[in-house]
Amino acid sequence: MTDSWDAADRAVLTLPSGRLIRGRGLRNPLPEGPEPEFAVYLLGRTPPEVGWESRWLRWPDFRLPADPHQARELLEEVWRRAPGERVEVACGGGMGRTGTALACLAVLDGVPADEAVAFVRRGYHPRAVETPWQRRYVRRFGRPG
């Protein structure tokens, strides 16, 4: 097992299960410390090349994922990999799309869907999940099927 993220880092969300997931904005410099081992980039266009395993989820700014099925698959992969790897999710600014993805990960981790946005705002950033449709996406993410 590799070293995990520092749970005290303000960019790291600790899920109820203890999983640590880093969120960040790609317009900011790469934080000091260890690099991710796996990342999902939430952008409207192809992300830049990185030195670790990554996936791209087409997700335009202030919108929702272009492919909700792919979004669920990738977020489930992030959730599965988080106990043993340094994983991150990131968009341009690190608030709206990243916050929405983190809230969906909280739902996967057992946080009730109607409480997930507040959970992420407390544990990651108070402005996470920026739009009403992103909040609705999180609530619907918790529904079966």
Side-chain angles (χ1 to χ4, degrees), residues 48-132:
E49 292 291 320
V50 292
W52 48 85
E53 186 181 356
S54 66
R55 307 268 193 287
W56 171 42
L57 175 61
R58 194 164 72 78
W59 190 334
D61 201 8
F62 295 106
R63 303 255 180 114
L64 298 175
D67 183 341
H69 179 73
Q70 180 193 26
R72 181 170 282 278
E73 286 180 349
L74 288 174
L75 293 173
E76 287 175 352
E77 183 175 0
V78 166
W79 186 82
R80 282 191 309 271
R81 293 176 75 157
E85 298 177 61
R86 287 185 306 276
V87 296
E88 77 173 3
V89 293
C91 64
M95 294 294 157
R97 294 167 285 181
T98 297
T100 302
L102 290 171
C104 291
L105 289 162
V107 170
L108 290 174
D109 207 60
V111 175
D114 60 343
E115 298 174 21
V117 171
F119 176 84
V120 170
R121 287 178 174 172
R122 280 191 311 274
Y124 172 67
H125 195 283
R127 290 191 345 252
V129 191
E130 293 176 311
T131 69

Side-chain angles (χ1 to χ4, degrees), residues 12-37:
V12 174
L13 178 67
T14 302
L15 295 173
S17 66
R19 287 171 167 84
L20 301 175
I21 300 174
R22 182 170 78 181
R24 73 177 176 105
L26 294 171
R27 290 192 295 265
N28 301 322
L30 185 66
E32 290 186 25
E35 294 179 339
E37 295 170 295

